[in-house]
Amino acid sequence: MQRRQDIYGINKFTESETRSFWVFVWEALQDTTLIILAICAFVSLVVGITMEGWPKGAHDGLGIVASILLVVFVTATSDYRQSLQFKDLDKEKRKIQVQVTRKGFRQRISIYDLLPGDVVNLAIGDQVPADGLFISGFSLLINESSLTGESEPVVVNEENPFLLSGTKVQDGSCKMLVTTVGMRTQWGKLMATLSEGGDDETPLQVKLNGVATIIGQIGLFFAVITFIVLSQGLISKKYHDGLLLSWSGDDALAMLEHFAIAVTIVVVAVPEGLPLAVTLSLAFAMKKMMNDKALVRNLAACETMGSATTICSDKTGTLTTNHMTVVKTCICGNIREVNSPQNASKLCSELPENVVRTLLESIFNNTGGEVVINQDGKHQILGTPTETAILEFAMSIGGNFKAKRAETKIAKVEPFNSTKKRMCVLLELADGGYRAHCKGASEIVLAACDKFIDETGAVTPLDKATAGKLNGIIDGFAHEALRTLCLAYREMEEGFSIEEQLPQQGYTCIAIVGIKDPVRPGVRESVAICRSAGVTVRMVTGDNINTAKAIARECGILTEDGLAIEGPDFREKTLEELLVLVPKIQVMARSSPLDKHTLVKHLRTTFNEVVAVTGDGTNDAPALHEADIGLAMGIAGTEVAKESADVIILDDNFSTIVTVARWGRSVYVNIQKFVQFQLTVNVVALLVNFSSACFTGNAPLTAVQLLWVNMIMDTLGALALATEPPNDDLMKREPVGRTGKFITNVMWRNIFGQSLYQFVVMWYLQTQGKTFFGLGGSDADIVLNTIIFNSFVFCQVFNEISSREMEKLNVLKGMLKNYVFMCVLSSTVVFQFIMVQFLGEFANTTPLTSLQWLASVLLGLVGMPIAVVVKLIPVGSS
């Protein structure tokens, strides 16, 4: 094996280089406002050093440079970490297991461990994992569109034996000999379809970019006016003194400071933190969802899932455990329990020998599964859970898979597909004749029978009474929530050619089997959570309607006023009838992929629902595509289904889907909290600087201070509020749906209430601050401006805490458990203290007395009870 690996290489592809941290730093530096500020800083340095010499004249310039670098590095770090996360995600997406025969044993191995010489077993929905040759198989159709762009499937057989990596099995099954792996395959970019990084903007980011642009334009307008008002004072003063044409360095510095303040107003006003908050929140949610067994392939799905109003779920494997066993049979017209080995062997002894022989021939030949000897020398059954259950039953009544297979030769196979709902196989008998075996959905296969085997083992015509009795048995099994399958055979007439289609009628019924697939634990509770969250759960299944109803009742999906309908009936309905029916449908049985697709389409377009769909088979791909969120099953799902999905449920469990919805809502609400917090800071910073510039001719908050505030509310605020974990209350409110507004009335109320309080505080300090604090002397202005700056920052700190809940009064609940939030909050306070007390030269501040500190903190703290009072004001919910 090692030698082969050395010669042929491994089945991996050279990955694109990871972008280094410095690339992200360079990208962060491209921000227009930061470039303007950098120019400001440069001019400030030149003029300052010329005027006042080094180092005194450089303080302003260096302060701005330090602030710019801080913003750049924080942005770059968050982007860089996120790109690494996407890389991990891509690795996770590519973990595909394949069925391989190696060293004479059938085993499941990772796609990465494939070597030339391995024999791979492929079935419907699989992706061809490497280049290889067709050895044997039936009705194999390969979809090569990912490689050639041709949508028409290609027939692969002995004449055309080439299989190429990255293509998909559309129909049939085969064994393939691997010939080439890794970069040497025809398509050295296998899985390129899966490795697109999250570059696309999510709907929420697009929405928020619109909000950011509007706010930015308002900010720009205010900035220009602020600059004009500030400069007008200086220019008119020079004009009065007749010195309009002679400018000193001090004048230039003053103009520059005005310009820097104007630019910084734009920086503060442009909420570039909005898209960052979305990305942070989504990336955080994605990482946590991985731990909760959900792999998000498409970032937007995270937030869309939060607004889902309906979930269309598969039954088998999602609502049920997908661990199936045959528990009841009806053979020779008699019902028998076979839920224990003793019952099975007893059954075998009671049945006529020819019946057992025909039954075993049917089960062992007409199957997509296989019984193999594993490395421990034990029998192992491979195949889908249904196939495994039936093979297990056949072995429990004494069947020998290999011996039975050797008696006849399989001449033709028509694999199971969801349209025909049955699987047929044609056997060439030892005497040269042919026999067809058929198994599938009970009522469909039974309808194709005109004979049955009676108690003596003789073949008897199937009259109306017996057909009615057998249909009653099928219903009885279904009412017990058993999946039913019917097995039948037909002797072919002489002169039958293999090229002909297998007949649709004229079969003899051998047996009906009832298979138990227990409901997963926790499903009932999850469905109840969905109902209380305003999310309707519908079951769409290919099973018999009575089985579907029984399981839907057990799960709590089917209610008294709900409707269960069969796919064929659904198809017949007119558009008017569907308008009345669709909202009531809770169970759709015997559905084809097209029915599922039609139901999803109606729910989305006609009823404006946000639909999540679960699927595992290739046949589910159209519905997964059509839905707002496609959820594929990680264990039972085929590669085709996974590729059409937005989220892969790694443990195939319905409860995980509810977890995804909870996280989706959490992302949405977290971003709303952040937007509320950010807009409050924007409004206040704009109003304070603008009104102050207009009335007093100078701005209390300097460029460096505004940059620090920008830092608190953009990056750190996003970190603190966007990473709040979900709580159970999220699933007690109605979903946002498709038409919900992002910035709700509740948010506007909170923004205006808090902004008004903060603006009043800032304005009062500016006009009455000196009297209030008893300031006098030459440093009165700088002390007052420091108090204003300090109070402003503490207003934001406490507003951040108030923003944790938009409607609830208790904002402290669970705060200490959120370590990110506590870290951000404490580091903001510590850095603010250092900035005021020790970085006066840079930040234009001066150390404050303990009393002044207390006043600043208290002014911020009063914002919290104010926020509580504001929350009591009733507003409409939309």
Side-chain angles (χ1 to χ4, degrees):
M1 304 255 299
Q2 193 51 51
R3 191 149 168 259
R4 255 186 223 190
Q5 206 166 62
D6 296 341
I7 296 170
Y8 297 105
I10 53 171
N11 198 22
K12 282 191 180 175
F13 306 95
T14 45
E15 291 185 356
S16 54
E17 283 284 297
T18 310
R19 293 160 71 195
S20 78
F21 174 68
W22 298 107
V23 175
F24 288 100
V25 170
W26 177 245
E27 281 182 2
L29 280 167
Q30 309 296 310
D31 189 74
T32 325
T33 43
L34 288 182
I35 292 169
I36 297 171
L37 275 171
I39 295 166
C40 270
F42 176 71
V43 177
S44 172
L45 278 170
V46 172
V47 178
I49 293 169
T50 315
M51 290 294 302
E52 299 176 44
W54 175 268
K56 199 166 185 296
H59 289 154
D60 273 2
L62 289 178
I64 297 178
V65 170
S67 307
I68 290 172
L69 288 177
L70 193 60
V71 171
V72 165
F73 275 96
V74 172
T75 312
T77 308
S78 103
D79 286 350
Y80 178 61
R81 284 193 52 203
Q82 195 196 326
S83 81
L84 291 181
Q85 215 162 345
F86 278 123
K87 209 161 182 58
D88 294 346
L89 203 68
D90 282 343
K91 281 202 186 95
E92 198 64 41
K93 284 177 193 171
R94 294 190 193 142
K95 284 184 186 166
I96 297 174
Q97 298 280 316
V98 280
Q99 292 271 3
V100 168
T101 306
R102 178 186 278 184
K103 295 184 178 174
F105 296 114
R106 183 88 173 257
Q107 48 196 299
R108 279 179 79 83
I109 65 166
S110 161
I111 187 173
Y112 293 144
D113 300 333
L114 276 183
L115 288 171
D118 281 331
V119 175
V120 178
N121 294 67
L122 295 172
I124 292 188
D126 286 346
Q127 182 153 317
V128 180
D131 286 2
L133 294 170
F134 172 93
I135 303 173
S136 63
F138 302 99
S139 320
L140 188 67
L141 283 182
I142 298 284
N143 178 346
E144 294 188 349
S145 59
S146 52
L147 199 62
T148 60
E150 281 296 320
S151 55
E152 209 49 47
V154 177
V155 177
V156 174
N157 47 30
E158 284 88 347
E159 285 80 51
N160 172 29
F162 302 104
L163 289 150
L164 303 174
S165 79
T167 56
K168 315 265 186 330
V169 180
Q170 193 163 324
D171 202 358
S173 58
C174 79
K175 287 185 174 163
M176 165 186 116
L177 176 72
V178 176
T179 55
T180 330
V181 292
M183 292 309 286
R184 296 198 174 123
T185 55
Q186 277 293 314
W187 185 30
K189 297 179 192 67
L190 168 70
M191 309 301 285
T193 45
L194 281 187
S195 62
E196 286 123 27
D199 288 339
D200 301 340
E201 289 205 316
T202 71
L204 199 50
Q205 278 175 318
V206 173
K207 218 184 237 180
L208 289 180
N209 280 343
V211 173
T213 311
I214 294 165
I215 297 170
Q217 287 165 348
I218 296 169
L220 190 62
F221 170 73
F222 275 104
V224 171
I225 293 182
T226 307
F227 179 67
I228 292 169
V229 170
L230 287 172
S231 307
Q232 170 262 335
L234 179 67
I235 293 169
S236 60
K237 183 171 177 287
K238 289 191 78 68
Y239 177 71
H240 281 303
D241 298 346
L243 300 170
L244 197 55
L245 297 174
S246 65
W247 286 74
S248 65
D250 282 342
D251 296 338
L253 268 179
M255 284 297 278
L256 198 70
E257 175 63 16
H258 296 164
F259 183 65
I261 286 169
V263 172
T264 319
I265 284 182
V266 176
V267 174
V268 175
V270 173
E272 66 270 26
L274 292 185
L276 172 75
V278 180
T279 318
L280 270 173
S281 192
L282 291 174
F284 173 73
M286 278 169 84
K287 203 169 176 64
K288 293 288 186 189
M289 278 156 87
M290 266 306 292
N291 303 339
D292 288 341
K293 297 281 180 281
L295 167 68
V296 181
R297 287 196 55 229
N298 175 353
L299 255 187
C302 235
E303 66 197 38
T304 318
M305 192 64 199
S307 13
T309 54
T310 196
I311 297 174
C312 294
S313 174
D314 253 7
K315 176 181 77 68
T316 311
T318 310
L319 297 167
T320 59
T321 57
N322 215 8
H323 183 77
M324 303 193 190
T325 41
V326 174
V327 292
K328 268 189 172 182
T329 59
C330 167
I331 307 174
C332 303
N334 295 324
I335 299 174
R336 290 178 173 82
E337 300 259 351
V338 285
N339 46 8
S340 69
Q342 293 84 8
N343 284 355
S345 49
K346 189 170 158 222
L347 168 74
C348 183
S349 58
E350 287 173 5
L351 293 173
E353 197 182 323
N354 66 321
V355 176
V356 175
R357 200 170 51 247
T358 311
L359 178 64
L360 292 176
E361 181 181 273
S362 178
I363 292 175
F364 285 141
N365 286 295
N366 189 16
T367 178
E370 212 173 332
V371 180
V372 295
I373 307 283
N374 63 16
Q375 280 148 315
D376 305 332
K378 293 190 177 132
H379 279 106
Q380 186 185 358
I381 302 174
L382 302 166
T384 64
T386 314
E387 297 283 15
T388 309
I390 294 178
L391 288 171
E392 214 168 343
F393 163 66
M395 287 170 74
S396 72
I397 58 172
N400 182 325
F401 183 80
K402 268 207 160 133
K404 205 75 197 165
R405 267 295 186 50
E407 288 173 15
T408 53
K409 178 174 172 242
I410 295 177
K412 186 175 183 180
V413 174
E414 285 185 4
F416 179 87
N417 72 32
S418 48
T419 320
K420 296 188 304 221
K421 299 217 181 295
R422 64 183 189 177
M423 171 183 185
C424 299
V425 59
L426 184 68
L427 302 182
E428 192 176 325
L429 306 174
D431 60 9
Y434 288 108
R435 182 179 295 145
H437 281 279
C438 176
K439 81 164 179 232
S442 302
E443 54 270 43
I444 292 171
V445 175
L446 189 61
C449 296
D450 55 10
K451 294 181 276 302
F452 79 110
I453 303 176
D454 68 8
E455 290 174 31
T456 61
V459 174
T460 321
L462 185 65
D463 56 25
K464 252 194 173 150
T466 316
K469 181 188 165 191
L470 290 175
N471 272 316
I473 289 167
I474 292 169
D475 282 350
F477 282 11
H479 279 302
E480 292 173 41
L482 300 180
R483 296 189 73 171
T484 61
L485 286 181
C486 183
L487 308 174
Y489 77 98
R490 172 182 167 150
E491 302 289 354
M492 306 309 289
E493 304 79 25
E494 274 193 34
F496 175 79
S497 155
I498 297 187
E499 303 308 314
E500 291 176 48
Q501 277 276 323
L502 290 182
Q504 300 288 321
Q505 296 290 330
Y507 286 87
T508 303
C509 173
I510 311 170
I512 293 163
V513 293
I515 300 171
K516 180 81 179 157
D517 184 9
V519 170
R520 277 184 185 274
V523 165
R524 199 181 173 87
E525 292 80 354
S526 299
V527 171
I529 290 171
C530 285
R531 190 158 277 138
S532 68
V535 180
T536 314
V537 181
R538 293 176 163 86
M539 181 206 280
V540 183
T541 174
D543 257 353
N544 173 307
I545 189 156
N546 292 320
T547 311
K549 276 177 165 174
I551 287 189
R553 283 202 184 93
E554 203 177 325
C555 297
I557 291 173
L558 188 59
T559 55
E560 291 304 312
D561 52 353
L563 183 71
I565 191 170
E566 284 189 316
D569 297 344
F570 178 73
R571 263 165 267 167
E572 306 290 293
K573 302 293 180 197
T574 62
L575 198 59
E576 285 75 26
E577 289 174 308
L578 283 177
L579 282 174
V580 181
L581 278 180
V582 170
K584 293 182 190 164
I585 294 177
Q586 288 175 340
V587 175
M588 192 192 284
R590 286 281 177 248
S591 72
S592 71
L594 200 64
D595 298 329
K596 196 170 184 175
H597 183 263
T598 311
L599 177 67
V600 171
K601 200 163 146 198
H602 274 299
L603 285 167
R604 283 192 67 214
T605 52
T606 321
F607 297 96
N608 221 3
E609 304 254 9
V610 178
V611 186
V613 170
T614 73
D616 51 11
T618 308
N619 52 330
D620 291 322
L624 289 170
H625 251 307
E626 175 67 33
D628 294 283
I629 309 102
L631 304 156
M633 299 298 129
I635 301 168
T638 61
E639 286 312 308
V640 176
K642 287 181 195 173
E643 218 163 288
S644 303
D646 304 300
V647 180
I648 298 171
I649 306 295
L650 297 174
D651 60 354
D652 289 18
N653 194 339
F654 187 79
S655 310
T656 308
I657 298 171
V658 179
T659 309
V660 175
R662 183 184 280 122
W663 271 108
R665 289 188 174 195
S666 170
V667 166
Y668 198 83
V669 169
N670 285 351
I671 295 167
Q672 279 186 318
K673 291 175 190 171
F674 172 68
V675 168
Q676 177 186 303
F677 169 67
Q678 168 128 43
L679 290 183
T680 309
V681 188
N682 279 0
V683 171
V684 180
L686 267 181
L687 285 177
V688 168
N689 262 9
F690 174 68
S691 57
S692 172
C694 290
F695 297 114
T696 64
N698 66 1
L701 299 173
T702 65
V704 174
Q705 290 170 357
L706 281 174
L707 275 172
W708 167 234
V709 168
N710 194 43
M711 181 83 183
I712 295 174
M713 68 180 195
D714 269 1
T715 316
L716 296 175
L719 254 177
L721 290 167
T723 54
E724 190 86 22
N727 56 31
D728 291 336
D729 294 340
L730 287 171
M731 296 306 277
K732 289 178 185 154
R733 55 174 79 166
E734 289 295 306
V736 179
R738 206 181 289 286
T739 50
K741 284 195 299 195
F742 182 72
I743 303 184
T744 60
N745 292 354
V746 168
M747 288 165 72
W748 283 124
R749 174 197 68 192
N750 296 348
I751 291 167
F752 286 133
Q754 194 63 34
S755 302
L756 184 66
Y757 164 70
Q758 290 189 15
F759 180 63
V760 168
V761 168
M762 295 299 115
W763 191 244
Y764 176 76
L765 285 177
Q766 221 176 336
T767 50
Q768 310 295 320
K770 285 184 186 172
T771 332
F772 183 77
F773 286 103
L775 301 175
S778 57
D779 62 348
D781 281 341
I782 191 164
V783 172
L784 181 64
N785 280 351
T786 306
I787 293 172
I788 290 175
F789 168 54
N790 208 20
S791 305
F792 185 64
V793 168
F794 276 100
C795 277
Q796 305 330 317
V797 168
F798 288 108
N799 185 28
E800 205 162 336
I801 299 172
S802 296
S803 297
R804 288 186 71 240
E805 289 289 351
M806 289 188 288
E807 295 188 65
K808 286 201 185 135
L809 303 183
N810 182 4
V811 291
L812 302 175
K813 187 181 174 189
M815 189 170 89
L816 297 175
K817 287 185 192 154
N818 186 349
Y819 303 120
V820 181
F821 190 86
M822 294 310 295
C823 282
V824 169
L825 222 55
S826 42
S827 54
T828 306
V829 173
V830 169
F831 199 78
Q832 176 65 14
F833 180 75
I834 294 169
M835 208 162 170
V836 171
Q837 298 298 100
F838 307 111
L839 297 179
E841 297 285 2
F842 281 117
N844 293 83
T845 57
T846 185
L848 298 177
T849 65
S850 48
L851 204 64
Q852 289 164 346
W853 267 99
L854 183 66
S856 303
V857 174
L858 282 175
L859 284 171
L861 184 61
V862 172
M864 288 183 72
I866 296 284
V868 170
V869 173
V870 169
K871 285 177 189 171
L872 297 173
I873 301 168
V875 285
S877 57
S878 64

